[in-house]
Amino acid sequence: MHALRRGCNRRWELCGINPAVLRQQMGHASAAMTALYTGEIPLEHVQAEFSSKIGNQIVVLENMENEAFA
């Protein structure tokens, strides 16, 4: 569960969510606490891990999600 939470935090950060909103969503009392859980996982590492476990499926799902919002 902790990995999922950290992954969501990182994804929101990469999307450009305001750090104050991100901190509130995560339930952290301070920016220092949020900083412990953001920016630590390079996007390339996340993509490589998903690719090794899920393969092309993540790209297909993200494309479907993007088309739904377009």
Side-chain angles (χ1 to χ4, degrees), residues 4 9 11-13 16 27 29 32 34 37 39-40 42 44 47 53 55:
L4 176 65
N9 196 20
R11 192 165 184 156
W12 289 337
E13 180 191 31
T34 304
Y37 298 102
E40 293 181 12
E44 295 79 26
Q47 290 172 333
K53 302 284 191 243

Side-chain angles (χ1 to χ4, degrees), residues 1 3-5 10 12-15 17 22 33-36 39-40 43-44 52 55-56 62 66-70:
M1 193 62 167
L4 176 65
R5 187 173 154 83
R10 178 67 173 139
W12 289 337
E13 180 191 31
L14 291 170
C15 289
I17 299 281
L22 182 60
M33 177 59 87
T34 304
L36 291 173
E40 293 181 12
L43 181 58
E44 295 79 26
S52 71
N56 192 31
E62 285 192 2
N66 290 337
E67 289 172 3
F69 285 111

